[in-house]
Amino acid sequence: MPTTSRDTILARVHDALAPLEKRAAYPEFTDDVAVSPAIAPSLAGPDADLWAAFSARARLVHGTPLAGGPAALAVWLREKKLTRGYCDPALLAQFRPHLTDADGKPLALETTFDRARVDDYEFGITRAAAAVAETGSLVLSDASTSSRLAALAPWVHIATLTRAQLHATVADAIAALPDDPNIVWCTGPSRTADVEGILIEGVHGPGEQIALLMD
C-alpha cells in the first residue's frame, strides 16, 4: 500500500514512542544534591527552625509568611481593607469569629466559589498540603484544596498550614506527599517575564501569596 510522506513521518514518531524493552536505571544521587551549602545548616538538626527558614525564603520571592492564625490574618486583612472572600468550609468555624472589619462587622465569607462572580472575591482561604523551607514554596493538592479556583483566581490567596506540614527540602516534601491527580507548587505570587523580559506579578494566579501558620 503506497504511503505518503506524512504516513512515513507519523510511523517513525510512533516507533520512537514505543516502550523500551529495557529502561536505563535512574542515576544515583543524594537527596540533598540540590540544596545549597549556604542553606543546608538552617534546615537540618534538632534545633532547625523550619518556619523561620521558610519565612526567610518566602520573602525573597515576594511571598508573605504570617504567623498567628486567624487573629493575625484579621489584622492583615483590615490593613489591606479586604472585606469579601472565599473560605474553605472546613476552616470557617476557626476564622468566622476573628474576621471582622475595623467596625467589628463580620467579613463576607462564602464557602462556595461562584464562577459567575469571580471578580467579587478579594481573597481566598484554602488549606496547603505542605510547605518547603528550602525554597519558600507552598504545595497545594486536590485532596486538601476545597476549591482550586478559589486558590488561583482571587488576587490574594491565603494558604493555611501547620508546623507538621513544614518540610526542610523539596525532596522531603515529595517523599511525604500522597498520590494526588493535581499538585501545584507555589513559590511566591504568580509571575511572568514573557513580555520584553519585564517581571510582572499576579498574571496567571494570585498577586499576593500568604502562608498562614495556624499553630
Side-chain angles (χ1 to χ4, degrees):
M1 180 177 179
T3 60
T4 64
S5 297
R6 177 178 180 276
D7 294 331
T8 301
I9 293 171
L10 290 178
R12 290 177 179 175
V13 171
H14 181 271
D15 292 342
L17 295 176
L20 299 175
E21 293 183 5
K22 183 178 180 181
R23 292 185 175 275
Y26 286 115
E28 294 184 4
F29 56 86
T30 59
D31 287 344
D32 63 352
V33 66
V35 180
S36 166
I39 296 175
S42 67
L43 304 178
D47 297 326
D49 187 339
L50 295 185
W51 172 250
F54 168 83
S55 297
R57 283 152 191 82
R59 293 188 186 98
L60 289 175
V61 292
H62 298 173
T64 304
L66 192 62
L73 178 62
V75 174
W76 190 89
L77 291 174
R78 289 188 202 114
E79 291 175 350
K80 297 291 183 177
K81 295 181 171 57
L82 303 179
T83 60
R84 176 179 295 277
Y86 167 89
C87 182
D88 181 331
L91 298 172
L92 186 63
Q94 292 175 267
F95 282 92
R96 177 70 80 186
H98 298 275
L99 299 191
T100 60
D101 63 17
D103 298 322
K105 181 181 178 181
L107 302 189
L109 296 178
E110 299 182 24
T111 55
T112 300
F113 196 92
D114 186 352
R115 289 173 175 267
R117 298 172 35 249
V118 65
D119 291 332
D120 289 347
Y121 299 92
E122 297 174 320
F123 60 87
I125 304 172
T126 68
R127 290 170 290 163
V132 186
E134 176 190 356
T135 58
S137 303
L138 287 165
V139 184
L140 311 180
S141 69
D142 268 0
S144 62
T145 304
S146 55
S147 171
R148 193 188 305 174
L149 192 59
L152 298 176
W155 182 257
V156 176
H157 175 232
I158 299 111
T160 67
L161 69 148
T162 64
R163 292 183 185 276
Q165 293 174 292
L166 285 163
H167 300 282
T169 67
V170 171
D172 292 339
I174 291 174
L177 287 174
D179 290 336
D180 196 288
N182 184 71
I183 291 179
V184 179
W185 296 71
C186 305
T187 306
S190 164
R191 69 195 67 197
T192 183
D194 291 346
V195 180
E196 298 184 0
I198 300 172
L199 182 64
I200 301 173
E201 294 184 345
V203 177
H204 307 298
E208 292 196 60
Q209 180 67 68
I210 316 299
L212 181 64
L213 188 65
M214 299 291 283
D215 59 359

